[in-house]
Amino acid sequence: MNAYEEYMQGIVQPMRQELVGSGFTELLTEEDVTAAMTDHKGTAVVVINSVCGCAAGLARPAVREALSQTDNQPDQLLTVFAGQEKEATAAMRNVFPEVPPSSPSIAIIKNGELAYFIPREQIEGFEMEQVRDHLTGALNQVTAS
């Protein structure tokens, strides 16, 4: 690992921990993504994490609050980190190739298929509560069907 990579690992660790500490499983390799998505059953919330301010102030807090407030809990909580684990992020994005790359973003996967997607454009510039309510509504819709 070079000095830059080592520096970035230290910077992003608290950003990772926000989700991992809330029950998310980090997918660090392409193989991790393949294992999680092959024959996927049930519902998964997938956060494509990022170092940007809208991830820190909006996406991660909104996801944590939405999950704490909804009765419609997903079966899995998964995350990849854009710009850090490039292969894992690319593999996850290949699960929903119809959606342009966006980070941060939040996907809801149901039985291996994309059921709902919240791109950066629906996170950045919004209030955290709006993003939280958007995700809560999407979870209610997807898990109820």
Side-chain angles (χ1 to χ4, degrees):
M1 179 181 307
N2 66 36
Y4 174 77
E5 290 168 338
E6 193 172 316
Y7 172 78
M8 286 306 296
Q9 286 296 323
I11 295 292
V12 302
Q13 190 56 40
M15 299 172 200
R16 294 176 187 281
Q17 193 55 40
E18 280 185 69
L19 294 176
V20 172
S22 296
F24 279 78
T25 299
E26 261 191 316
L27 305 177
L28 300 172
T29 66
E30 183 177 350
E31 292 77 20
D32 290 347
V33 173
T34 300
M37 292 291 107
T38 300
D39 300 323
H40 181 267
K41 300 288 185 246
T43 306
V45 169
V46 177
V47 175
I48 298 180
N49 204 351
S50 173
V51 297
C52 70
C54 62
L58 299 170
R60 291 190 301 265
V63 168
R64 290 193 325 268
E65 283 200 19
L67 291 169
S68 74
Q69 293 180 2
T70 185
D71 292 331
N72 296 305
Q73 291 295 312
D75 301 301
Q76 289 182 295
L77 302 173
L78 305 171
T79 184
V80 294
F81 208 117
Q84 298 301 302
E85 287 77 40
K86 293 176 177 78
E87 293 81 15
T89 302
M92 184 55 76
R93 287 177 171 152
N94 283 336
V95 173
F96 35 89
E98 67 275 19
V99 177
S102 179
S103 59
S105 58
I106 307 159
I108 302 176
I109 308 291
K110 186 169 186 175
N111 297 324
E113 301 289 325
L114 181 64
Y116 201 88
F117 191 79
I118 301 174
R120 179 186 181 114
E121 294 77 26
Q122 294 176 15
I123 297 171
E124 188 175 33
F126 289 83
E127 296 296 319
M128 188 281 295
E129 294 80 7
Q130 292 173 297
V131 179
R132 175 200 63 208
D133 294 347
H134 186 174
L135 178 56
T136 300
L139 279 168
N140 291 339
Q141 174 187 331
V142 170
T143 56
S145 61

